[in-house]
């Protein structure tokens, strides 16, 4: 009896079905058993303290509590920028911080005081040649406009040697959040030491 050859589409269908069964089987095998949670992976400080002295396991430090909004930063809905801490807070009308994050200031910083966001720009090229977005202008000094922004690619290169820059850069996600908060009319910016 002669062997009968099957059409190629039958082979492809069979191979596809076999591969699908193998993937489903492997997925089910991977899903069996308990999965570690973030708490299980990162022991608490008390659990770390209880570890034996001879243990070689190192524990990740617990995340630090976010710093409180500076006391002398005004009241009501505002953006607070601390020059010394290189940190920004968005504060709601009740005085509660809704977000805080670190920033990378330029070489020219605003003077402490209260400002209002005077202009916005969705995107442009910064004075350092970097493509930036979410620009919120609020002050000027030494002939430069001072603004919050983030690099489109998320980077924050160091300022060019000998060049004055006034952009206050932040991570991309923080830039998006600050843009949403700061484009509301009459948003105040309080700059503290």
């Amino acid at each position: 009896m002669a062997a009968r050859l099957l059409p190629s589409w039958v082979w492809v269908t069979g191979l596809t079905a076999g591969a699908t069964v193998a993937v489903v089987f492997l997925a089910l095998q991977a899903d069996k058993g308990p999965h570690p949670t973030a708490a299980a992976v990162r022991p608490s400080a008390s659990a770390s303290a209880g570890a034996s002295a001879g243990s070689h396991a190192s524990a990740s430090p617990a995340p630090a509590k976010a710093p409180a909004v500076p006391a002398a930063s005004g009241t009501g809905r505002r953006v607070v920028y601390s020059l010394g801490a290189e940190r920004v807070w968005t504060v709601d009308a009740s005085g509660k911080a809704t977000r805080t994050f670190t920033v990378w200031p330029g070489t020219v910083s605003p003077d402490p005081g209260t400002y209002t966001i005077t202009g916005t720009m969705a995107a442009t090229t910064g004075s350092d040649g970097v493509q930036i977005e979410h620009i919120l202008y609020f002050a000027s000094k030494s002939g430069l406009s001072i603004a919050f922004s983030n690099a489109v690619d998320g980077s924050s290169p160091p300022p060019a040697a000998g060049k004055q820059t006034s952009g206050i850069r932040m991570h991309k996600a923080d830039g998006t959040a600050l843009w949403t908060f700061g484009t509301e009319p009459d948003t105040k910016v309080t700059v503290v030491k």
Side-chain angles (χ1 to χ4, degrees):
M1 177 181 258
R4 186 170 160 225
L5 293 176
L6 296 174
S8 62
W9 66 269
V10 172
W11 285 99
V12 171
T13 304
L15 288 174
T16 302
T20 302
V21 168
V23 168
V24 169
F25 174 77
L26 291 172
L28 289 172
Q29 290 300 313
D31 197 39
K32 287 184 179 178
H35 297 285
T37 62
V41 174
R42 242 184 254 139
S44 67
S46 60
S48 298
S52 69
S55 172
H56 295 291
S58 63
S60 299
K65 184 178 177 187
V69 177
S73 65
T75 60
R77 187 181 185 282
R78 66 201 183 279
V79 174
V80 177
Y81 173 39
S82 170
L83 298 169
E86 296 182 351
R87 178 173 287 276
V88 166
W89 292 260
T90 55
V91 182
D92 67 17
S94 72
K96 180 183 175 200
T98 58
R99 187 178 187 105
T100 185
F101 49 89
T102 56
V103 295
W104 302 285
T107 60
V108 176
S109 295
D111 292 323
T114 301
Y115 304 86
T116 300
I117 292 180
T118 56
T120 62
M121 185 177 290
T124 191
T125 301
S127 60
D128 57 359
V130 173
Q131 295 295 311
I132 57 174
E133 62 186 353
H134 304 132
I135 305 107
L136 299 168
Y137 297 96
F138 67 93
S140 62
K141 186 174 178 182
S142 302
L144 298 173
S145 295
I146 298 176
F148 296 112
S149 66
N150 66 270
V152 171
D153 68 2
S155 68
S156 184
K163 188 168 191 168
Q164 288 190 325
T165 59
S166 57
I168 302 161
R169 297 280 170 81
M170 59 204 67
H171 292 283
K172 192 170 179 80
D174 296 325
T176 301
L178 188 60
W179 174 263
T180 300
F181 187 89
T183 52
E184 297 256 338
D186 302 317
T187 299
K188 301 287 184 210
V189 177
T190 303
V191 178
V192 297
K193 290 182 182 182

